[in-house]
Amino acid sequence: MRPDWDSYFMKIAAAVSERSTCDRAFVGCVLVRDKRILTTGFNGSPAGQEHCDEAGHLMVDGHCVRTIHAETNALIQAALHGVSTRGATCYVTHFPCIHCTKALINAGIVRIVYGDSYRIDEHARAFLDTAGIDYAASTG
């Protein structure tokens, strides 16, 4: 059976998550506009830095600060390659954290489809609601 678009892009986000180098959360993100993939991102360290799977976690206040989140990495890839994300949909394996939520809002993302309801931050939800961004758990 042929998957609908949301299921299709969520499966791709899941595949992207397999590249994550921080085992605290294997997260993948795909930014899409007009049914075309713009960029992808996964949890990993900044370029040229050691990864968690090599050097271990760098924990500060209960968070691994060695890792850049998947959504942020996808936005960085868009910036590096001159790809506008205005009007795009974010497909991500986990609900975005507050910091990624703010970045997605400012990047012009208009819709978020997420897989895992991991640590949904009420402030992130309020920001998305105020910004008028549609978000929903994946049904596929």
Side-chain angles (χ1 to χ4, degrees):
M1 181 173 191
R2 187 173 184 199
D4 61 42
W5 287 109
D6 284 351
S7 297
Y8 173 73
F9 290 121
M10 284 302 295
K11 287 178 184 178
I12 294 171
V16 170
S17 76
E18 294 174 7
R19 293 282 305 153
S20 294
T21 60
C22 183
D23 65 1
R24 290 179 46 101
F26 293 92
V27 181
C29 176
V30 181
L31 300 181
V32 175
R33 187 178 51 242
D34 299 327
K35 300 182 179 115
R36 300 286 182 253
I37 294 172
L38 302 175
T39 63
T40 65
F42 53 86
N43 284 3
S45 295
Q49 305 294 312
E50 291 184 305
H51 292 276
C52 295
D53 60 3
E54 300 165 343
H57 302 290
L58 181 57
M59 300 299 293
V60 175
D61 297 327
H63 298 280
C64 180
V65 297
R66 187 180 308 281
T67 296
I68 299 173
H69 289 183
E71 304 93 322
T72 299
N73 266 329
L75 293 173
I76 290 168
Q77 288 301 307
L80 278 173
H81 298 285
V83 176
S84 173
T85 56
R86 183 182 309 276
T89 295
C90 173
Y91 293 92
V92 62
T93 57
H94 296 66
F95 189 87
C97 74
I98 186 73
H99 303 294
C100 289
T101 295
K102 293 183 288 185
L104 291 167
I105 290 168
N106 276 6
I109 300 300
V110 296
R111 183 170 174 251
I112 298 170
V113 179
Y114 62 92
D116 190 343
S117 298
Y118 174 78
R119 292 187 179 180
I120 293 180
D121 184 294
E122 290 307 312
H123 297 294
R125 289 173 53 125
F127 285 171
L128 292 170
D129 290 340
T130 300
I133 295 175
D134 178 38
Y135 60 96
S138 173
T139 59

